Amino acid sequence: IVILLDVTNSDFPLLHPDNKYYRILGVDLQSCLQEEKRLFYVAITRAKEKLYIFTEKNYGSVFLQYLN
């Protein structure tokens, strides 16, 4: 059983304001978003019996569109 909490745009993907400093290390915003998408995929594919996703009405994560 996998339970995902706060699957909203403000929390998942979590793009922290300090991410802009990652450019110094050669990491851009797009690669951060790709990593968040990968983590979401890993989380939802680990469920063997049930997957519960909790979100807020009208604030669901953009990643939820991949479930349809």
Side-chain angles (χ1 to χ4, degrees):
I1 296 174
V2 173
I3 301 170
L4 298 175
L5 303 173
D6 295 328
V7 183
T8 61
N9 277 329
S10 60
D11 293 317
F12 217 118
L14 180 61
L15 297 176
H16 194 274
D18 289 344
N19 283 355
K20 62 185 175 185
Y21 299 115
Y22 289 173
R23 282 183 270 156
I24 296 169
L25 303 172
V27 179
D28 61 3
L29 183 61
Q30 187 62 29
S31 62
C32 289
L33 188 59
Q34 288 298 96
E35 179 66 11
E36 289 285 321
K37 189 186 296 185
R38 186 188 70 76
L39 291 172
F40 181 73
Y41 174 80
V42 169
I44 64 173
T45 57
R46 292 303 179 256
K48 293 183 180 179
E49 293 183 26
K50 295 181 181 180
L51 171 65
Y52 296 97
I53 299 176
F54 292 89
T55 187
E56 291 182 35
K57 188 176 182 178
N58 299 325
Y59 293 105
S61 171
V62 295
F63 292 161
L64 294 175
Q65 69 184 344
Y66 299 115
L67 298 179
N68 293 330

